[in-house]
Amino acid sequence: MTKNWLVTGGSRGIGRAVVEQATARGDRVAVFARKPATEQWPHPDRVVEIHTDLTDSTAVARGVRTVFERFGSLDVVVNAAGVHRGGRVDTLSREHWDEVIGTNLTGAFELARHVVPRLEAGSALINVGAVVGFRGFPGDVAYGAAKAGLHGLTQVLAVELAPRHIRVNLVIPGFVETDMTSALTGRARERILAAIPLGRTGLPAEIAQVIVGVADAEYMTGSVVATDGGLLSSFASRS
Ligand SMILES: NC(=O)c1ccc[n+]([C@@H]2O[C@H](COP(=O)([O-])OP(=O)(O)OC[C@H]3O[C@@H](n4cnc5c(N)ncnc54)[C@H](OP(=O)(O)O)[C@@H]3O)[C@@H](O)[C@H]2O)c1
């Protein structure tokens, strides 16, 4: 049976890889992002782009309404939208703190509060967290806090929505080659690479493969699924 998906951040990177894998199996996907995708979709007839800024509550409400008008129902919601602004506690600006928390955490809450009332039994909500939400990574004060908050949000929603048979899980990528990580300096990149037991960075398609699997996993809720080449374990062994 084909499914209807909503993927935030689906225009690029990990979100886009999810869209490609879902549409490859015949599913339909609505994409939320502020700007249009710059690359052509492999199955354009199965993708609906709805330009939506997750930091704008009214826009999210409107976007969710449009998805339900187009699809009628949703089976899978993937919250992959995110921004990264690096900085330690004494260097990060308040503006960057607000941007990171506003997009990665408050944006996830906004999405959930508008979409959850319309979800039916059997549907799945997947948040995309990060390893740095679980381990203190210097220079990631806002991003680490936002992703840790997303873990808390995921656990609460999993418990709140279980009686309605809606599953909520968190997939946590390690270091993945996307626009988000392309700006990292050589030194920072080398430091992270040295901590990845599998010895390489991940590909968006490798994270998407896990997200698609979690979407299908009917007895999984409230779980944290690391997809990180062992990065989380490696950080753990150092602490
Ligand atoms: N890459 C990594 O190593 C890594 C590691 C751990 C976790 N993650 C997480 O994985 C997710 C995807 O990351 P990525 O690496 O694929 O990032 P990316 O390539 O930079 O893509 C980010 C996506 O989020 C969208 N987005 C950003 N702000 C938005 C907003 N306010 N409203 C709506 N959409 C917004 C972007 O579209 P627009 O800019 O057009 O809005 C884009 O589609 C993020 O949650 C990220 O934190 C990534």
Side-chain angles (χ1 to χ4, degrees):
M1 204 186 71
T2 61
K3 289 184 174 178
N4 296 327
W5 296 58
L6 167 58
V7 180
T8 76
S11 61
R12 294 187 271 127
I14 293 168
R16 184 184 171 96
V18 173
V19 178
E20 289 180 358
Q21 291 184 21
T23 54
R25 60 184 208 176
D27 293 351
R28 290 192 298 181
V29 186
V31 170
F32 278 7
R34 292 165 300 179
K35 297 181 290 282
T38 51
E39 275 178 66
Q40 288 233 313
W41 297 106
H43 300 281
D45 52 317
R46 298 178 194 155
V47 179
V48 182
E49 288 190 51
I50 301 166
H51 305 304
T52 306
D53 184 343
L54 278 183
T55 65
D56 177 345
S57 181
T58 311
V60 177
R62 191 173 49 236
V64 168
R65 250 194 335 267
T66 307
V67 176
F68 281 89
E69 279 163 16
R70 297 289 291 266
F71 288 178
S73 63
L74 273 180
D75 303 289
V76 187
V77 179
V78 179
N79 183 39
V83 290
H84 180 267
R85 299 282 177 250
R88 290 178 177 245
V89 70
D90 52 351
T91 59
L92 187 86
S93 67
R94 174 60 195 261
E95 191 190 355
H96 279 174
W97 169 271
D98 288 344
E99 184 186 357
V100 170
I101 301 289
T103 307
N104 296 281
L105 183 55
T106 312
F109 164 70
E110 281 294 349
L111 178 75
R113 81 187 181 100
H114 288 107
V115 86
V116 157
R118 295 170 177 249
L119 292 180
E120 289 165 19
S123 53
L125 172 59
I126 299 160
N127 286 318
V128 180
V131 167
V132 298
F134 290 80
R135 298 283 180 261
F137 192 78
D140 258 343
V141 67
Y143 190 71
K147 293 301 191 183
L150 200 52
H151 177 218
L153 180 70
T154 302
Q155 287 186 312
V156 173
L157 291 184
V159 175
E160 285 186 357
L161 302 182
R164 288 175 53 199
H165 301 284
I166 297 167
R167 294 170 289 110
V168 189
N169 293 289
L170 184 74
V171 170
I172 54 169
F175 186 97
V176 185
E177 299 292 349
T178 66
D179 291 349
M180 186 176 279
T181 47
S182 63
L184 264 191
T185 61
R187 237 183 91 223
R189 177 178 282 268
E190 274 167 32
R191 224 173 84 221
I192 298 169
L193 210 50
I196 302 174
L198 284 185
R200 66 169 179 86
T201 56
L203 300 172
E206 292 173 315
I207 312 303
Q209 187 185 25
V210 172
I211 291 173
V212 170
V214 169
D216 289 340
E218 293 187 0
Y219 194 57
M220 179 189 277
T221 199
S223 291
V224 176
V225 185
T227 312
D228 63 349
L231 180 62
L232 186 66
S233 308
S234 139
F235 276 6
S237 66
R238 287 169 167 206
S239 60

